[in-house]
mmCIF file of all heavy atoms in Angstrom:
data_model
loop_
_atom_site.group_PDB
_atom_site.id
_atom_site.type_symbol
_atom_site.label_atom_id
_atom_site.label_comp_id
_atom_site.label_asym_id
_atom_site.label_seq_id
_atom_site.Cartn_x
_atom_site.Cartn_y
_atom_site.Cartn_z
ATOM 1 N N GLU A 54 -48.003 323.758 208.905
ATOM 2 C CA GLU A 54 -49.449 323.843 209.038
ATOM 3 C C GLU A 54 -50.060 325.032 208.353
ATOM 4 O O GLU A 54 -51.129 324.921 207.686
ATOM 5 C CB GLU A 54 -49.852 323.883 210.537
ATOM 6 C CG GLU A 54 -49.733 322.540 211.266
ATOM 7 C CD GLU A 54 -50.125 322.760 212.701
ATOM 8 O OE1 GLU A 54 -50.401 323.837 213.190
ATOM 9 O OE2 GLU A 54 -50.186 321.699 213.365
ATOM 10 N N THR A 55 -49.419 326.161 208.502
ATOM 11 C CA THR A 55 -49.895 327.395 207.831
ATOM 12 C C THR A 55 -49.857 327.269 206.325
ATOM 13 O O THR A 55 -50.838 327.667 205.632
ATOM 14 C CB THR A 55 -49.111 328.654 208.324
ATOM 15 O OG1 THR A 55 -49.261 328.723 209.736
ATOM 16 C CG2 THR A 55 -49.659 329.900 207.693
ATOM 17 N N ALA A 56 -48.853 326.656 205.817
ATOM 18 C CA ALA A 56 -48.769 326.432 204.362
ATOM 19 C C ALA A 56 -49.903 325.487 203.915
ATOM 20 O O ALA A 56 -50.503 325.746 202.852
ATOM 21 C CB ALA A 56 -47.436 325.798 204.011
ATOM 22 N N VAL A 57 -50.222 324.452 204.681
ATOM 23 C CA VAL A 57 -51.305 323.551 204.302
ATOM 24 C C VAL A 57 -52.594 324.286 204.309
ATOM 25 O O VAL A 57 -53.480 324.173 203.439
ATOM 26 C CB VAL A 57 -51.341 322.321 205.277
ATOM 27 C CG1 VAL A 57 -52.582 321.526 205.056
ATOM 28 C CG2 VAL A 57 -50.068 321.463 205.079
ATOM 29 N N TYR A 58 -52.899 325.075 205.421
ATOM 30 C CA TYR A 58 -54.110 325.843 205.518
ATOM 31 C C TYR A 58 -54.233 326.919 204.367
ATOM 32 O O TYR A 58 -55.322 327.154 203.839
ATOM 33 C CB TYR A 58 -54.294 326.484 206.830
ATOM 34 C CG TYR A 58 -54.719 325.623 207.918
ATOM 35 C CD1 TYR A 58 -53.779 325.244 208.976
ATOM 36 C CD2 TYR A 58 -55.965 325.109 207.997
ATOM 37 C CE1 TYR A 58 -54.147 324.418 209.982
ATOM 38 C CE2 TYR A 58 -56.365 324.270 209.030
ATOM 39 C CZ TYR A 58 -55.504 323.897 209.974
ATOM 40 O OH TYR A 58 -55.873 323.074 211.032
ATOM 41 N N ALA A 59 -53.114 327.469 204.003
ATOM 42 C CA ALA A 59 -53.142 328.509 202.921
ATOM 43 C C ALA A 59 -53.604 327.992 201.635
ATOM 44 O O ALA A 59 -54.210 328.652 200.819
ATOM 45 C CB ALA A 59 -51.778 329.148 202.816
ATOM 46 N N SER A 60 -53.366 326.678 201.350
ATOM 47 C CA SER A 60 -53.744 326.098 200.178
ATOM 48 C C SER A 60 -55.235 325.883 200.069
ATOM 49 O O SER A 60 -55.842 325.730 198.955
ATOM 50 C CB SER A 60 -53.030 324.734 199.912
ATOM 51 O OG SER A 60 -53.458 323.848 200.868
ATOM 52 N N SER A 61 -55.910 325.802 201.200
ATOM 53 C CA SER A 61 -57.327 325.576 201.200
ATOM 54 C C SER A 61 -58.244 326.752 201.595
ATOM 55 O O SER A 61 -59.380 326.823 201.145
ATOM 56 C CB SER A 61 -57.708 324.271 202.060
ATOM 57 O OG SER A 61 -57.336 324.626 203.391
ATOM 58 N N ASN A 62 -57.738 327.617 202.423
ATOM 59 C CA ASN A 62 -58.544 328.676 202.941
ATOM 60 C C ASN A 62 -57.646 329.922 203.226
ATOM 61 O O ASN A 62 -57.050 329.963 204.306
ATOM 62 C CB ASN A 62 -59.331 328.234 204.234
ATOM 63 C CG ASN A 62 -60.305 329.321 204.708
ATOM 64 O OD1 ASN A 62 -60.163 330.477 204.397
ATOM 65 N ND2 ASN A 62 -61.257 328.826 205.497
ATOM 66 N N PRO A 63 -57.649 330.896 202.361
ATOM 67 C CA PRO A 63 -56.762 332.039 202.521
ATOM 68 C C PRO A 63 -57.064 332.848 203.819
ATOM 69 O O PRO A 63 -56.200 333.420 204.388
ATOM 70 C CB PRO A 63 -56.983 332.875 201.250
ATOM 71 C CG PRO A 63 -57.559 331.887 200.281
ATOM 72 C CD PRO A 63 -58.281 330.872 201.033
ATOM 73 N N LEU A 64 -58.357 332.915 204.174
ATOM 74 C CA LEU A 64 -58.724 333.705 205.411
ATOM 75 C C LEU A 64 -58.149 333.058 206.620
ATOM 76 O O LEU A 64 -57.540 333.747 207.464
ATOM 77 C CB LEU A 64 -60.262 333.806 205.501
ATOM 78 C CG LEU A 64 -60.711 334.641 206.684
ATOM 79 C CD1 LEU A 64 -60.248 336.042 206.580
ATOM 80 C CD2 LEU A 64 -62.276 334.551 206.754
ATOM 81 N N ILE A 65 -58.249 331.758 206.729
ATOM 82 C CA ILE A 65 -57.628 331.048 207.919
ATOM 83 C C ILE A 65 -56.121 331.206 207.827
ATOM 84 O O ILE A 65 -55.445 331.374 208.858
ATOM 85 C CB ILE A 65 -58.008 329.557 207.913
ATOM 86 C CG1 ILE A 65 -59.503 329.410 208.222
ATOM 87 C CG2 ILE A 65 -57.227 328.768 208.972
ATOM 88 C CD1 ILE A 65 -59.919 329.913 209.585
ATOM 89 N N ALA A 66 -55.508 331.197 206.620
ATOM 90 C CA ALA A 66 -54.072 331.340 206.482
ATOM 91 C C ALA A 66 -53.630 332.708 206.999
ATOM 92 O O ALA A 66 -52.606 332.784 207.734
ATOM 93 C CB ALA A 66 -53.691 331.191 205.043
#
Side-chain angles (χ1 to χ4, degrees):
E54 285 180 355
T55 301
V57 169
Y58 282 110
S60 68
S61 63
N62 187 335
L64 183 60
I65 292 294

